[in-house]
Amino acid sequence: QVQLVESGGGLVQAGGSLRLSCAASGRTLSTYAVGWFRQAPGKEREFVSAISWSGGTIDYADSVKGRFTISRDNTKNTVYLQMNSLKPEDTAVYYCAARKLLARMAEAEYDYWGQGTQVTVSS
């Protein structure tokens, strides 16, 4: 079992930045790909970004390309999502999820999920 805990969410003005963290316990995260997803009020959960176990493969949703950066520090068992130039439409609960080895964009491909962290961007 992999337990995931997200942190770093909060309230920020448009144009601001936040860094989300996804910390793992129970097992080392070094052999897991990690994805970030988000769910805005009244909307379905959507893919944001994913990184493979090695960091060699990274994917982004078109809506966040050039603004968000995913990275991982396997020595700290943590994956990060740096979010810059935030927009009100980025407001959502952000979830991290883990699966073995390879990054995927479909949430059904992930086995372990965190509880989420709220990000609110004011205009």
Side-chain angles (χ1 to χ4, degrees):
Q1 285 282 355
V2 178
Q3 289 83 43
L4 302 173
V5 178
E6 303 93 339
S7 62
L11 174 63
V12 64
Q13 288 189 332
S17 298
L18 285 173
R19 188 177 79 158
L20 304 184
S21 298
C22 174
S25 62
R27 288 188 180 179
T28 175
L29 205 54
S30 62
T31 59
Y32 288 82
V34 173
W36 284 97
F37 295 80
R38 66 187 182 185
Q39 187 167 22
K43 295 188 177 182
E44 293 189 351
R45 191 156 54 187
E46 64 176 5
F47 170 79
V48 175
S49 182
I51 186 167
S52 65
W53 68 279
S54 66
T57 300
I58 289 176
D59 293 307
Y60 295 102
D62 288 343
S63 59
V64 306
K65 277 181 183 175
R67 300 188 299 122
F68 290 11
T69 303
I70 193 171
S71 62
R72 65 188 303 150
D73 184 344
N74 286 340
T75 66
K76 296 183 178 179
N77 236 20
T78 301
V79 171
Y80 304 98
L81 185 68
Q82 178 67 44
M83 305 187 297
N84 298 330
S85 302
L86 282 161
K87 305 174 181 180
E89 51 263 44
D90 294 318
T91 295
V93 177
Y94 283 71
Y95 299 89
C96 66
R99 70 182 305 277
K100 271 294 198 177
L101 300 181
L102 302 179
R104 293 288 185 265
M105 295 185 183
E107 62 176 278
E109 300 269 9
Y110 288 81
D111 301 307
Y112 305 102
W113 289 82
Q115 294 299 307
T117 185
Q118 176 70 48
V119 171
T120 302
V121 184
S122 63
S123 56

